[in-house]
């Protein structure tokens, strides 16, 4: 039920802090350690390489998941688009583990890969919002994202929930393998939930950004580096699917290799600057587009924000910034769609779960 909300999408965006707190409680033991199935732990530690398979927004969670598992658990990970995997199959390692990420658990492109890799004798873990779904039933293990039903076609809370579960999984794997670290995911996720609430309070500012920059534009660019780049991909997808504005997410440093030719007077560029170690270089990239006439909207993080930044997210662990920085992008897309009279919850040509190949 959407209650007093005009759209499911807005309600689901606002639910994200509760979803994260719910995930914390579901994955927490009484002594504050991580609660996770022993079999999953063994499958993760036993694998010499992880292959993440997903589509769309879940793929975007998967590219963040790769970073988390590699950085935290020190284990190599590849993330692949499900629909291409069987045609461009990489050389598999000796002991691979497949992770399928899917909100619905019904996506046919993922199921195709699951069926083939099972035939090859490989184990599969599905991370899904629907535990009784096809992918969940057909794989060896399931991790639940506990986001509650997601009704709007554009995925929001499922994406942040997937990343939260991936962070927990990464830390559990690291601890099981005795990897030293000072990152407590449950504590850090609690900080994230609070920061998410602060973002939801920025609706007026974000509505204004959408009205000023996105109500008539043909296109829009998202730029960022490191983890921010992955969030840019998701921000662009969100904007495309519900507002029909042509949007692209770019790595800040890649822009000058061609795409900068598209920047003209008034082109909206949404810049993400939440990663301290690349702050100077992304700031440079934003200046480059502004010098060519772009209208910038910058989303940065407390501690190294600048005066003209549009949104400053509260300080959260650098591994978890995507969970917070995506919220202003979700809201910008929502308001852009509203201002362009689009059907927010049911965008044209799209279905909530894609059960054809
Ligand atoms: C984007 C969106 C789609 C889905 C994709 C995968 O907002 O909803 O890109 O993310 O179709 O769906 P699931 O996660 O159900 O496998």
């Amino acid at each position: 039920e959407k209650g007093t909300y005009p759209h499911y999408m807005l309600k689901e965006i606002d639910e994200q802090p509760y979803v994260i707190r719910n995930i914390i409680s579901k994955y927490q033991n009484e002594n504050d350690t991580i609660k996770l199935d022993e079999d999953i732990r063994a499958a993760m530690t036993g694998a010499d390489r992880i292959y993440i398979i997903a589509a769309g927004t879940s793929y975007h969670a998967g590219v963040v998941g790769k970073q988390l598992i590699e950085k935290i658990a020190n284990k190599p990970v590849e993330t692949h688009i499900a629909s291409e995997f069987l045609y461009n199959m990489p050389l598999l390692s000796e002991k691979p583990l497949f992770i399928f990420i899917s909100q619905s658990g019904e996506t046919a492109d993922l199921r195709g890969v699951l069926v083939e890799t099972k035939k090859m004798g490989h184990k599969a873990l599905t991370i899904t919002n629907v535990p009784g779904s096809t992918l969940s039933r057909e794989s060896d293990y399931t991790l639940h994202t506990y986001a509650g039903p997601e009704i709007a076609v554009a995925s929001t809370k499922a994406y942040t929930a997937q990343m939260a579960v991936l962070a927990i999984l990464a830390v559990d794997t690291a601890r099981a393998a005795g990897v030293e670290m000072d990152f407590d995911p449950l504590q850090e996720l609690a900080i994230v939930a609070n920061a998410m609430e602060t973002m939801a309070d920025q609706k007026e500012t974000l509505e204004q950004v959408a009205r000023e920059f996105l109500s008539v534009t043909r296109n829009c660019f998202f730029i960022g580096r490191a983890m921010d780049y992955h969030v840019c991909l998701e921000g662009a997808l969100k904007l495309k699917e519900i507002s029909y504005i042509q949007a692209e997410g770019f790595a800040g440093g890649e822009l000058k290799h061609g795409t900068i030719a598209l920047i003209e007077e008034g082109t909206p560029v949404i810049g993400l600057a939440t990663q301290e170690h690349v702050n100077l270089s992304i700031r440079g990239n934003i200046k480059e587009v502004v010098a060519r006439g772009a209208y910038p909207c910058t989303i940065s993080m407390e501690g190294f924000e600048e005066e003209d930044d549009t949104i400053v997210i509260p300080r959260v662990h650098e591994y978890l910034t995507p969970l917070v920085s995506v919220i202003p992008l979700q809201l910008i897309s929502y308001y852009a769609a509203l201002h362009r009279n689009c059907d927010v919850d049911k965008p044209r040509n799209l279905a909530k779960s894609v059960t054809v190949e």
Side-chain angles (χ1 to χ4, degrees):
E1 265 314 298
K2 63 183 183 211
T4 55
Y5 280 93
H7 297 99
Y8 281 107
M9 184 181 177
L10 191 62
K11 172 172 178 269
E12 290 164 4
I13 290 172
D14 273 357
E15 278 170 0
Q16 291 175 106
Y18 308 102
V19 170
I20 297 303
R21 290 184 189 122
N22 194 27
I23 290 173
I24 296 171
S25 71
K26 299 286 185 189
Y27 284 95
Q28 190 165 35
N29 281 320
E30 269 162 25
N31 59 359
D32 285 355
T33 55
I34 295 173
K35 192 199 287 176
L36 204 88
D37 189 343
E38 277 299 335
D39 293 345
I40 297 179
R41 189 166 291 152
M44 286 295 290
T45 45
D48 62 355
R49 184 176 283 261
I50 311 277
Y51 296 82
I52 295 180
I53 311 290
T57 290
S58 298
Y59 171 78
H60 294 153
V63 288
V64 172
K66 168 190 160 73
Q67 298 297 320
L68 293 172
I69 298 171
E70 290 197 336
K71 288 194 166 94
I72 298 172
N74 216 5
K75 196 176 277 289
V77 183
E78 295 177 19
T79 305
H80 292 270
I81 292 172
S83 61
E84 279 297 306
F85 186 79
L86 296 176
Y87 310 127
N88 284 316
M89 178 109 76
L91 278 177
L92 298 183
S93 64
E94 271 176 33
K95 289 182 283 172
L97 173 69
F98 282 80
I99 299 184
F100 294 86
I101 307 179
S102 176
Q103 188 286 127
S104 64
E106 300 296 341
T107 304
D109 289 328
L110 276 71
R111 180 153 189 263
V113 179
L114 174 61
V115 168
E116 286 308 312
T117 51
K118 259 176 90 165
K119 275 190 208 151
M120 295 161 76
H122 303 313
K123 296 273 190 222
L125 159 65
T126 288
I127 299 180
T128 183
N129 206 29
V130 186
S133 58
T134 308
L135 286 168
S136 165
R137 281 185 278 112
E138 295 184 359
S139 48
D140 302 278
Y141 324 102
T142 297
L143 283 177
H144 191 344
T145 46
Y146 296 107
E150 192 179 62
I151 311 290
V153 165
S155 184
T156 53
K157 61 177 181 172
Y159 168 74
T160 45
Q162 288 162 348
M163 294 189 293
V165 170
L166 284 160
I168 293 170
L169 180 65
V171 172
D172 188 76
T173 306
R175 285 185 186 155
V179 178
E180 289 275 329
M181 108 203 76
D182 56 2
F183 175 70
D184 179 339
L186 302 175
Q187 243 170 36
E188 297 294 344
L189 283 169
I191 299 171
V192 162
N194 294 341
M196 284 173 149
E197 253 158 23
T198 319
M199 284 301 100
D201 294 339
Q202 303 285 321
K203 291 195 182 77
E204 252 173 66
T205 309
L206 294 162
E207 211 242 277
Q208 200 184 330
V209 168
R211 180 156 28 87
E212 275 179 35
F213 296 158
L214 300 174
S215 47
V216 293
T217 189
R218 272 189 309 143
N219 55 10
C220 176
F221 295 93
F222 293 75
I223 61 172
R225 286 175 179 252
M227 290 275 216
D228 283 342
Y229 165 50
H230 305 131
V231 182
C232 285
L233 299 177
E234 173 57 11
L237 176 60
K238 216 80 307 163
L239 188 63
K240 278 184 273 201
E241 67 179 330
I242 62 167
S243 78
Y244 317 140
I245 295 170
Q246 177 143 34
E248 281 189 84
F250 271 94
E254 194 61 13
L255 208 64
K256 60 182 174 296
H257 299 290
T259 308
I260 201 160
L262 294 173
I263 304 292
E264 29 181 34
E265 190 61 37
T267 306
V269 174
I270 299 178
L272 262 64
T274 76
Q275 304 290 298
E276 196 158 16
H277 61 294
V278 293
N279 188 48
L280 279 181
S281 43
I282 190 65
R283 295 286 180 181
N285 299 136
I286 295 170
K287 286 197 186 89
E288 282 156 16
V289 294
V290 169
R292 288 160 180 82
Y295 290 164
C297 162
T298 303
I299 296 162
S300 64
M301 185 160 77
E302 218 171 68
F304 46 95
E305 74 270 33
E306 292 184 9
E307 206 183 326
D308 293 334
D309 293 348
T310 316
I311 295 285
V312 180
I313 71 170
R315 193 119 195 149
V316 295
H317 194 285
E318 64 168 349
Y319 292 162
L320 300 178
T321 54
L323 285 85
V324 184
S325 62
V326 76
I327 294 183
L329 306 189
Q330 295 167 342
L331 286 166
I332 287 173
S333 299
Y334 173 77
Y335 289 115
L338 276 192
H339 285 297
R340 296 167 82 104
N341 290 317
C342 300
D343 188 346
V344 172
D345 283 339
K346 285 199 172 55
R348 70 186 180 206
N349 309 343
L350 291 172
K352 184 65 185 163
S353 59
V354 185
T355 51
V356 291
E357 281 189 27

